[in-house]
Amino acid sequence: MDTTRELFVEEVSDAYDAEHRFLTAMEEMQGKAEDAELKKGITDHIAQTQDHIEWLGEIFSRLERKPTRKTCDGAKGIVADGQKSVGEVGAATLRDSVIAAGLAKAEHYEIATYSALVAGAETMGNEPMAQVLKRILGQEQAVAERLGRAAPTLLKKAADEESAPR
Ligand SMILES: [Fe+2]
Ligand SMILES: [Fe+2]
């Protein structure tokens, strides 16, 4: 690949794969989470992620390409890492904190991805594409913030439970 446009197509394909991987991982974590607020947060972002997949589909059509997934090793690693960490924790509240922290990592990864894609679309002078990507980026940022707040709160709750008399 030698052009900014080709690079952009590759990066969109990478993000398209990442979204699918994160969607599957969130569906799995939704079943494992016990805290009601965390569960709700995951449910909401599953719906947003389905939108992201659809909106990336629009980007592909603007690029006159068929939606294609290019293996995102970053997302693959983040998911594998998260699954491993969650599997290592037995206590429910502590596990919830690990789930929230793992999902926050995924969101921060997506923030970096979409920041780069927005820059790419703007560099190509394609404002409609930049707008769609900014909309996704805004949702990833809001969720990262929400999960970033939930993780320490759940961790604190887990610590309180540990020190409570049984
Ligand atoms: Fe997303
Ligand atoms: Fe996300």
Side-chain angles (χ1 to χ4, degrees), residues 45 49 107 110 140:
H45 198 50
T49 301
E107 297 312 315
E110 288 190 290
E140 311 293 15

Side-chain angles (χ1 to χ4, degrees), residues 90-160:
T93 308
L94 194 59
R95 190 170 58 239
D96 280 347
S97 79
V98 172
I99 291 172
L103 293 176
K105 281 188 195 178
E107 297 312 315
H108 282 280
Y109 185 82
E110 288 190 290
I111 290 169
T113 298
Y114 286 105
S115 300
L117 285 174
V118 167
E122 284 174 344
T123 301
M124 293 188 301
N126 196 319
E127 203 40 46
M129 266 188 334
Q131 285 308 319
V132 174
L133 293 163
K134 274 184 198 167
R135 193 166 166 204
I136 301 178
L137 176 60
Q139 293 191 344
E140 311 293 15
Q141 283 167 332
V143 178
E145 209 176 292
R146 186 173 173 185
L147 290 168
R149 271 198 310 270
T153 304
L154 288 162
L155 189 65
K156 170 85 172 52
K157 193 175 153 200
D160 290 346

Side-chain angles (χ1 to χ4, degrees), residues 6 8 27 30-31 38 45 52 66 72-73 75-77 82 87-88 93 95 118 126 129 137 144-145 148 156:
E6 280 308 310
F8 185 77
E27 284 165 350
Q30 188 192 36
L38 177 63
H45 198 50
H52 299 174
K66 252 203 282 207
C72 177
D73 290 315
K76 213 174 156 181
E88 285 165 356
T93 308
R95 190 170 58 239
V118 167
N126 196 319
M129 266 188 334
L137 176 60
E145 209 176 292
K156 170 85 172 52

